[in-house]
Amino acid sequence: MGSDADPVEGVVATIARSASEIRQGLVGRRGKSDRENPSGETQAEADVWADELLADRLTSIDGVAQYASEERSDVIDCEDTAYCVAVDPLDGSSNLTSNNTMGTVFGIYDEPLPAPGSALVAAGFVLYGPITTMTYARDGTVTKYELTGGERSIVESNVTVPDDPLVYGFGGRVPHWTDGFREYVREIESNPDHKLRYGGAMIGDVNQVLTYGGIFAYPALEDSPRGKLRLQFEGNPIAYVIESAGGRSSDGDRSILEIEPTDVHERVPLHVGNAELIERLEDALA
Ligand code: FDP
């Protein structure tokens, strides 16, 4: 590989080209492996397989300095020094069992991992829905593509979070929500203009917010104050896409992109959506 002169575009093009293959490769790999990821979750066979496929391809691109994934403990160091790629190869892979939506999430940083979201130069996600799409942010613009066979065609060239919020989806067991978060949810639910959309894969639920406006959160929980989602592989890339689309992200207090990480696998409470809803959330949690 390494034929694309711009390494960032090379990474995006490689993920786009690999998406059809990953989608096809899910067939026959829906079972659990006997391994755990660094966060202590049992990996699906497809998690391990997609991680190996992306690691092989992305580390052979000229200009890629590091590859890190939610599915492996250690960062792979390459000889190059430019860009560091963090990937969640199959976000929402527990949806494999029921055959529901899931995706591949990626962030391209220009600092060694773990890196803050302010070091992202591009980020995006593939969604394995009824059709396969890629939504990708760079230089303040979000573009949405349909992927067919290795081809990418633009379906929307300036994606923005719609002004009027419509959907909400919140993860974590309700009895484990904090009092502040529970009150906030009650307020969101009581607005007759809002409706629930929750599918159990972050990327599908965030895509609903990007399409219809609203809010998605996987908040801090009483028994897990840092929530569930991982900052490098999920939190930062999604915050980057949503902020590039005119929305806001928050860990409950500040933009996710402002967090200084200390560990590649650290978790973060994630809230993303329309700016006014995130501001109200921060007030509710203050
Ligand atoms: P999954 O474990 O299926 O990969 O971070 C992963 C994630 O899914 C998110 O996509 C999803 O929002 C969340 O975990 C759901 O977690 P719980 O059902 O365990 O609350």
Side-chain angles (χ1 to χ4, degrees):
M1 279 198 209
S3 56
D4 295 285
D6 170 12
V8 175
E9 180 51 29
V11 168
V12 176
T14 300
I15 294 172
R17 281 197 293 264
S18 303
S20 300
E21 214 176 314
I22 291 178
R23 183 175 188 124
Q24 191 58 37
L26 300 176
V27 177
R29 291 192 177 88
R30 292 169 68 194
K32 296 280 175 209
S33 75
D34 54 5
R35 294 163 52 171
E36 284 191 350
N37 71 13
S39 303
E41 299 157 352
T42 303
Q43 293 170 304
E45 286 172 58
D47 285 322
V48 178
W49 173 76
D51 173 48
E52 279 165 12
L53 182 144
L54 290 172
D56 279 354
R57 293 183 183 181
L58 297 177
T59 55
S60 56
I61 295 172
D62 293 338
V64 169
Q66 289 187 321
Y67 171 87
S69 144
E70 190 173 303
E71 304 303 338
R72 60 178 66 221
S73 310
D74 298 327
V75 175
I76 301 177
D77 288 308
C78 312
E79 282 172 19
D80 280 297
T81 52
Y83 296 106
C84 301
V85 186
V87 172
D88 181 357
L90 286 179
D91 175 69
S93 58
S94 52
N95 272 1
L96 266 172
T97 309
S98 53
N99 189 27
N100 282 89
T101 299
M102 39 180 239
T104 297
V105 187
F106 62 93
I108 307 171
Y109 299 82
D110 64 3
E111 288 179 21
L113 302 171
S118 55
L120 280 167
V121 295
F125 60 89
V126 172
L127 192 75
Y128 306 104
I131 55 171
T132 310
T133 55
M134 172 183 263
T135 303
Y136 153 58
R138 189 177 186 187
D139 297 331
T141 301
V142 182
T143 310
K144 186 173 180 178
Y145 304 87
E146 284 177 357
L147 306 178
T148 37
E151 300 299 310
R152 233 190 318 166
S153 44
I154 294 181
V155 284
E156 205 177 334
S157 52
N158 190 12
V159 179
T160 53
V161 178
D163 287 338
D164 296 325
L166 180 66
V167 298
Y168 62 89
F170 304 122
R173 292 200 64 233
V174 177
H176 293 164
W177 287 350
T178 63
D179 291 344
F181 188 74
R182 193 173 292 117
E183 292 247 325
Y184 174 74
V185 172
R186 250 185 234 131
E187 185 194 321
I188 293 291
E189 285 174 334
S190 66
N191 184 327
D193 294 334
H194 296 162
K195 53 185 177 182
L196 172 67
R197 285 289 181 274
Y198 186 72
M202 176 208 61
I203 202 58
D205 295 323
V206 165
N207 191 56
Q208 293 269 11
V209 169
L210 197 51
T211 307
Y212 297 111
I215 180 168
F216 168 77
Y218 201 111
L221 302 174
E222 294 289 3
D223 61 344
S224 176
R226 301 300 298 160
K228 178 179 182 190
L229 305 178
R230 270 65 35 143
L231 179 63
Q232 298 293 290
F233 314 109
E234 297 163 310
N236 277 339
I238 289 316
Y240 186 86
V241 171
I242 293 288
E243 292 199 14
S244 299
R248 275 205 55 200
S249 74
S250 178
D251 67 351
D253 181 43
R254 62 198 156 147
S255 165
I256 303 273
L257 303 178
E258 289 172 17
I259 299 171
E260 282 297 330
T262 54
D263 185 89
V264 170
H265 293 280
E266 79 186 56
R267 299 178 193 267
V268 66
L270 176 84
H271 317 81
V272 288
N274 288 78
E276 53 165 298
L277 297 188
I278 298 295
E279 272 150 36
R280 273 157 57 192
L281 170 99
E282 287 179 343
D283 289 345
L285 298 186

